[in-house]
Amino acid sequence: MPLTEFLHGSWGWLCLEHMKTDAFKKQTNGRAIEGQLRWTWNQPVKSTNPEGRKYGEMPVERFDTEVIQTLVDRKVRTAEIEESNARTGRLKKVSKTTGGPQKNNLIKWIRSVLKLAIKKKLVKVNYALFVEKEEVKGSGYKMWTDEMWDRMVAHYPLCTKQRLTFDLAGYTAQRRGDVYLLGWDQFISSEEGLPHGSLRVEQEKGDDGEPYVAHIPILDELHGSLEAAKVAGILGSKFFIRQDHKDEPYVKESFGNSVRKWLNAAGIPNGYSLHGLRKLCVCRLIERGCDPHDVMAVTGHQTLKEIDRYAKAYFREKKKIDVYAKWRAGAAKAGANTAVPKVA
């Protein structure tokens, strides 16, 4: 349906009104959100009749919980596939569900649109608040190991754009969508206790158009990396990371593609991205004595839940050394023979 045919008060009309707001225009991922909202208004009300009436034509007042749930559930697909056990090589049938994160994001964006409907007095209740989200299993992006970090450092010396990129990600704990736009307009000069200054970052991610804010001290290691990049002439005049042949920031999508190539060249396996450095930085901050609220100031997280989840896997692996030491100490205290038995 052409955009001009949406009637006042319809879902399609409301989406377009939402896209005109300042809150929407401030979002750096606005293009992605617009694409998903277009998807909603192009969806047929009845999935069995693809050429029939579309959600975009539906009056907003009819957007109740059931209608929204039916719409967002279409993002989720379940398929049965054969999967090989990594250790035994045996095949087994498993059900794989995809689209959960996309569904959850869509619910969030529909909520924002319906807030405008309430403001315009088209509806009294934001029924998207009661839509059931998809439970997403797994821990999300994989955290880098210390060995991977050392591998990257060995492959990319200071004075290279790749090293600058990974240092910015690893010492600021920012997401990819914020790393490539870090720059001088966010820089706060040195002050007492912060010899290299700090960064105030209004993040891509936020709540209803209002960005989360991160307050990041420039650590000694990051300062050294920035100074090396400046000497090498690769530091941008506005954004720290600049394109090869012009003093402009990357486009988000092309930046992601470049990062993947750099990771491959350094021998970092598929599945490990810049977000894995965000997780590693969180754990290193905790390891160096920062409390959860210190960490949240840097990362921009709004709750302790994510911080705790990031840290669990990292510190559990390191706990095996503590467990062995405590076992030996306990055995010695009990008077047991603590000698390591020899294998015949």
Side-chain angles (χ1 to χ4, degrees):
M1 168 180 286
L3 304 185
T4 54
E5 291 186 16
F6 285 132
L7 298 177
H8 182 280
S10 67
W11 172 249
W13 172 84
L14 183 65
C15 288
L16 291 170
E17 289 297 301
H18 174 67
M19 292 176 197
K20 297 175 185 175
T21 63
D22 291 338
F24 180 83
K25 291 175 182 178
K26 286 180 182 177
Q27 298 184 101
T28 56
N29 60 338
R31 186 185 300 177
I33 298 174
E34 179 180 341
Q36 290 305 304
L37 293 179
R38 286 177 179 273
W39 178 87
T40 64
W41 75 53
N42 283 318
Q43 285 294 299
V45 174
K46 293 184 178 180
S47 58
T48 55
N49 184 15
E51 302 303 321
R53 192 168 182 238
K54 303 293 193 286
Y55 271 88
E57 304 169 67
M58 185 181 293
V60 176
E61 62 190 30
R62 289 190 54 197
F63 258 61
D64 59 19
T65 305
E66 184 179 353
V67 167
I68 301 169
Q69 190 76 62
T70 300
L71 175 61
V72 299
D73 282 347
R74 293 181 184 177
K75 282 291 181 182
V76 180
R77 295 285 185 271
T78 301
E80 196 171 77
I81 63 172
E82 281 195 337
E83 197 173 73
S84 175
N85 184 291
R87 295 183 65 204
T88 66
R90 294 172 183 164
L91 294 174
K92 63 176 182 178
K93 288 186 176 182
V94 295
S95 292
K96 286 285 186 181
T97 300
T98 58
Q102 291 79 9
K103 170 185 170 179
N104 293 343
N105 280 333
L106 186 57
I107 292 171
K108 177 175 65 177
W109 297 329
I110 290 175
R111 286 176 181 173
S112 294
V113 177
L114 289 177
K115 277 192 173 182
L116 179 61
I118 291 176
K119 187 176 180 180
K120 289 180 174 291
K121 298 183 179 180
L122 297 172
V123 297
K124 293 182 179 180
V125 179
N126 189 336
Y127 286 105
L129 294 171
F130 309 109
V131 172
E132 185 177 340
K133 287 189 172 184
E134 196 74 15
E135 182 179 348
V136 180
K137 296 181 179 180
S139 56
Y141 298 95
K142 294 180 180 179
M143 185 191 306
W144 284 40
T145 63
D146 293 321
E147 184 275 331
M148 288 178 188
W149 175 265
D150 293 340
R151 194 188 311 172
M152 180 279 296
V153 168
H155 190 81
Y156 293 119
L158 293 171
C159 300
T160 61
K161 177 163 60 175
Q162 293 89 341
R163 176 63 176 275
L164 174 64
T165 297
F166 295 127
D167 280 346
L168 284 167
Y171 292 120
T172 69
Q174 300 305 292
R175 302 175 185 87
R176 186 191 75 182
D178 297 307
V179 168
Y180 82 104
L181 291 178
L182 292 174
W184 296 110
D185 60 322
Q186 300 165 325
F187 177 71
I188 299 173
S189 299
S190 60
E191 55 188 287
E192 186 176 352
L194 293 170
H196 310 305
S198 61
L199 297 171
R200 183 186 183 278
V201 179
E202 293 189 359
Q203 297 179 325
E204 177 183 54
K205 191 171 183 179
D207 185 15
D208 294 327
E210 290 300 318
Y212 297 146
V213 179
H215 302 274
I216 309 161
I218 296 181
L219 305 174
D220 296 344
E221 296 86 348
L222 180 56
H223 174 71
S225 187
L226 288 167
E227 288 298 306
K230 187 185 296 184
V231 170
I234 62 171
L235 201 62
S237 63
K238 183 176 181 181
F239 301 95
F240 297 147
I241 304 170
R242 49 165 288 181
Q243 296 184 39
D244 287 335
H245 304 296
K246 52 185 177 180
D247 190 10
E248 293 181 8
Y250 278 83
V251 175
K252 183 178 178 180
E253 290 74 15
S254 65
F255 177 69
N257 294 335
S258 295
V259 167
R260 185 64 259 167
K261 291 176 184 177
W262 300 340
L263 291 171
N264 290 342
I268 307 301
N270 285 331
Y272 292 89
S273 64
L274 284 189
H275 205 94
L277 281 178
R278 174 174 167 84
K279 292 185 173 185
L280 180 61
C281 184
V282 165
C283 295
R284 286 177 165 178
L285 289 169
I286 295 172
E287 201 170 35
R288 285 157 176 74
C290 295
D291 67 36
H293 291 283
D294 295 333
V295 177
M296 289 169 66
V298 173
T299 64
H301 281 114
Q302 302 301 295
T303 66
L304 296 173
K305 183 179 178 181
E306 283 296 294
I307 301 296
D308 183 58
R309 188 164 66 86
Y310 283 8
K312 277 182 179 177
Y314 181 81
F315 289 110
R316 278 185 178 180
E317 183 177 350
K318 291 181 176 289
K319 282 293 182 183
K320 61 189 176 186
I321 299 172
D322 294 337
V323 170
Y324 180 77
K326 289 174 181 177
W327 175 270
R328 297 272 291 166
K333 188 176 182 180
N337 181 6
T338 60
V340 178
K342 295 182 179 179
V343 178

